[in-house]
Amino acid sequence: MKMKLVACLAAALVCVWLGPARPPVAGASTPVVRVRSDKFDDAQSLITDALRERLAASVAVGVSQGGKITWLEAFGLANGPQRIKATAHTAYPIGSITEALTATAVMALAERGRIDIDKPAEKYMEPLEFTACKGRGRDVTVKHLLNHTAGLPVHFNRFYDGEGHSPPTIEETAAHYAILVREPGKTFQRSDLGYGLLGHIISRVSGIAYGDFMRKHVFEPLGMMTTWIGPHPEWAGITAETYDARLRPLPPVRTDTPAAGEGFSCAYDLLRFAMFQLENRLPDTEPPIGAQAIEAMQTGVDESAEYAAGDLYAMGWFVTEDDNGFRTVWQESSTDGASGMLKLVPSENIAVVVLINGPGDGLPRRIVDSALGALLPAYRKNLEAGSEPRRPGLGPFEPAPDLIGEWKGKIMTYGLDIPVRMVFQQDGDIHFLKPPDIDNTWVLQDLEYFDEVLNEVGMDGNRIRGWVDARVATGDAMRSPHVLLIDIVREGDSIDGSVTAVSAAERIYFGLSYCIHLERQDR
């Protein structure tokens, strides 16, 4: 159970609350409430079954084809205790889908000449700057942040209402965690902090708060009147309640990274956004960016970077070149209590959005696949045949002869440097050890000394990843029990990378990363 939890947590991401100046008005952009179609009976059956199996409390779905809405409907209860039915204008937390909205705002400023995405990000972040364990901070461009190839490690940091903790400022977070563990442009790694810094850049360049800029220059021009940034209790009447795996209500959550994943939106608004991204001009919209910028968002991947997961990442969008026979552009979210997916098939002028509240268990993706299969027979045929190409990932760990032995170094945190050793054995075990003379910087099940073997070790070239049941004693990380994710790269007689403290409690609290540097000892 813990292994599955850790794998899930490493990919999670969130962002900080920043609110609009006035409340949205559900459905203000159009009277459209529901559009039904018999084409999607299979997808509707999936939804009905999921509601019965309590995988979701409610589901909202929207489909457009050829610039027209062909399905717009909601099922279940947005709020169970109050018996409030979900509609296509019910707002849900949209998690990582927020990145596509934020990237649109960055490109709007770029079109106006306020930002050059190929210039150093530090030019627009001042006085914030990167701490470089690898590479140089001045080499990180705005586009690297958009592509998630800046060299930043995993970062997310969540704060639930009523638990006595508040998010730090972006300045404090950047000072502690804006560390480069890879050379800029070399490796794809999702980090909430990258898009959090983009939100800071939007605010600093425009002179207004990030949330206000999004409302005035992205949401309102597109008629997205039920879309905003950050939780707002006063709008609970149009917001779906979030639920844990037992369908128990969850409190609102705030984070330390603006623009990475704190968006709230509804199926109808996201469908409007998708149609804009497909260059379908709706009569009551004013596109915030032009066709060239839209194309750049969907195609502008970092050609020099390695993508271990197989899918590419452009600017705010994942890109799959062969998704059951079609090129697709998409975003997927999974936050505590809610999840969703927004997928575009540009060649066919099709968009599908699914939002749910509840544990989900991959439900949004399955509904999206079913809807696309109803519209694209070739997609459905390939999906049923299982012909989607197997995405590459980490292979089994096989230690090279010159890796075997002891490596010694330190984990570098904002508060202190923590000595550590790793021993690579011929049998494939990797021991993660605290030096015996150190007793105040590590905690492991109340033991003063430990020797733990890495779990679920995977390897891709010189990159090695796994996790260990240990803790790092920074003030941020010690607010919750956690384990450590190890993500390292061996180059000659040195090993560099990141150690990420990932909360292992029932709720997802954080993934906080620190540099690690080791050198061979037995040569």
Side-chain angles (χ1 to χ4, degrees):
M1 179 65 181
K2 182 180 285 185
M3 294 182 182
K4 292 181 180 178
L5 172 65
V6 171
C8 236
L9 293 175
L13 68 137
V14 287
C15 87
V16 78
W17 171 84
L18 281 166
R22 58 172 179 77
V25 180
S29 56
T30 175
V32 175
V33 175
R34 185 174 67 177
V35 177
R36 305 195 69 176
S37 172
D38 293 339
K39 290 182 180 179
F40 305 107
D41 285 348
D42 288 347
Q44 184 168 335
S45 294
L46 271 176
I47 294 169
T48 302
D49 291 345
L51 294 176
R52 184 174 59 251
E53 295 168 10
R54 295 174 64 84
L55 293 177
S58 67
V59 178
V61 60
V63 178
S64 70
Q65 184 177 27
K68 296 182 179 179
I69 295 175
T70 57
W71 188 22
L72 185 67
E73 197 166 5
F75 307 82
L77 298 175
N79 188 305
Q82 298 183 30
R83 310 302 295 174
I84 299 175
K85 292 184 178 181
T87 76
H89 296 283
T90 297
Y92 294 77
I94 61 172
S96 305
I97 297 172
T98 309
E99 291 186 9
L101 306 178
T102 298
T104 301
V106 173
M107 297 305 287
L109 289 168
E111 277 195 336
R112 300 170 193 176
R114 304 291 301 278
I115 292 176
D116 184 338
I117 65 172
D118 294 315
K119 293 291 186 182
E122 288 184 340
K123 172 182 177 182
Y124 305 104
M125 286 165 42
E126 293 181 351
L128 309 186
E129 59 185 8
F130 298 101
T131 299
C133 297
K134 295 288 288 186
R136 301 182 303 181
R138 62 179 177 271
D139 291 338
V140 177
T141 65
V142 175
K143 189 172 186 292
H144 285 141
L145 294 177
L146 289 163
N147 289 148
H148 281 302
T149 58
L152 294 166
V154 170
H155 179 87
F156 57 93
N157 205 4
R158 305 170 68 92
F159 300 83
Y160 291 89
D161 281 4
E163 293 191 344
H165 298 282
S166 299
T169 64
I170 187 63
E171 289 80 8
E172 183 178 348
T173 292
H176 288 182
Y177 298 108
I179 56 174
L180 305 183
V181 298
R182 303 277 187 267
E183 293 185 11
K186 297 296 185 183
T187 307
F188 168 77
Q189 175 63 68
R190 296 196 75 172
S191 172
D192 281 9
L193 185 50
Y195 267 73
L197 292 172
L198 287 172
H200 173 74
I201 288 172
I202 290 169
S203 178
R204 188 175 181 278
V205 170
S206 68
I208 61 176
Y210 162 73
D212 289 341
F213 185 91
M214 297 300 295
R215 173 179 57 82
K216 293 174 64 175
H217 298 285
V218 178
F219 304 153
E220 287 184 350
L222 291 175
M224 299 171 67
M225 303 306 293
T226 315
T227 304
W228 65 88
I229 304 298
H232 287 276
E234 63 269 32
W235 302 332
I238 59 171
T239 304
E241 184 81 72
T242 55
Y243 300 97
D244 65 13
R246 301 179 187 178
L247 291 185
R248 297 174 301 186
L250 288 166
V253 61
R254 304 179 189 276
T255 73
D256 66 342
T257 48
E262 278 283 336
F264 283 73
S265 191
C266 64
Y268 175 69
D269 279 11
L270 287 182
L271 200 57
R272 291 179 72 90
F273 177 74
M275 294 167 74
F276 142 71
Q277 283 278 324
L278 291 170
E279 299 182 48
N280 300 138
R281 181 69 180 268
L282 298 178
D284 55 344
T285 63
E286 184 62 40
I289 58 175
Q292 187 174 356
I294 291 173
E295 182 180 4
M297 285 182 63
Q298 299 178 20
T299 62
V301 302
D302 193 334
E303 300 288 352
S304 64
E306 296 179 357
Y307 293 82
D311 295 310
L312 302 176
Y313 196 91
M315 293 187 278
W317 292 109
F318 278 100
V319 178
T320 303
E321 295 295 346
D322 182 3
D323 183 350
N324 295 296
F326 296 85
R327 181 181 186 274
T328 59
V329 177
W330 54 278
Q331 264 292 359
E332 191 170 26
S333 73
S334 181
T335 65
D336 271 3
S339 57
M341 189 171 198
L342 177 60
K343 182 177 281 191
L344 318 181
V345 188
S347 65
E348 309 303 313
N349 198 4
I350 291 174
V352 183
V353 59
V354 175
L355 300 173
I356 75 167
N357 58 335
D361 193 26
L363 178 63
R365 183 181 286 265
R366 296 197 300 275
I367 297 171
V368 167
D369 280 342
S370 180
L372 288 176
L375 297 176
L376 302 171
Y379 187 99
R380 181 170 187 166
K381 180 180 179 180
N382 290 329
L383 183 67
E384 291 175 345
S387 63
E388 186 177 4
R390 184 176 180 270
R391 295 188 174 95
L394 295 178
F397 174 65
E398 298 179 0
D402 58 352
L403 181 63
I404 305 302
E406 181 180 5
W407 300 70
K408 187 176 181 180
K410 58 187 177 180
I411 298 171
M412 293 159 275
T413 79
Y414 61 86
L416 74 166
D417 291 342
I418 303 172
V420 67
R421 293 187 297 150
M422 295 183 74
V423 177
F424 295 82
Q425 296 185 173
Q426 185 68 49
D427 63 6
D429 281 354
I430 303 174
H431 289 256
F432 196 72
L433 301 94
K434 179 187 73 173
D437 58 338
I438 302 297
D439 62 5
N440 63 346
T441 55
W442 286 96
V443 177
L444 175 70
Q445 299 172 349
D446 298 322
L447 299 179
E448 292 184 357
Y449 177 82
F450 73 85
D451 177 354
E452 287 290 310
V453 177
L454 263 66
N455 301 283
E456 297 185 281
V457 180
M459 191 172 189
D460 181 14
N462 290 332
R463 187 175 186 181
I464 301 167
R465 284 188 283 186
W467 67 272
V468 64
D469 191 0
R471 302 180 190 175
V472 59
T474 64
D476 293 344
M478 290 305 292
R479 71 183 174 96
S480 173
H482 58 270
V483 296
L484 300 182
L485 303 182
I486 313 298
D487 186 352
I488 53 179
V489 175
R490 182 272 183 96
E491 294 180 358
D493 287 340
S494 296
I495 288 176
D496 294 280
S498 61
V499 171
T500 305
V502 181
S503 59
E506 185 176 5
R507 290 178 179 171
I508 300 172
Y509 287 100
F510 55 73
L512 304 173
S513 296
Y514 311 95
C515 293
I516 183 171
H517 174 78
L518 303 164
E519 295 183 354
R520 176 179 287 282
Q521 296 300 298
D522 51 358
R523 275 195 177 181

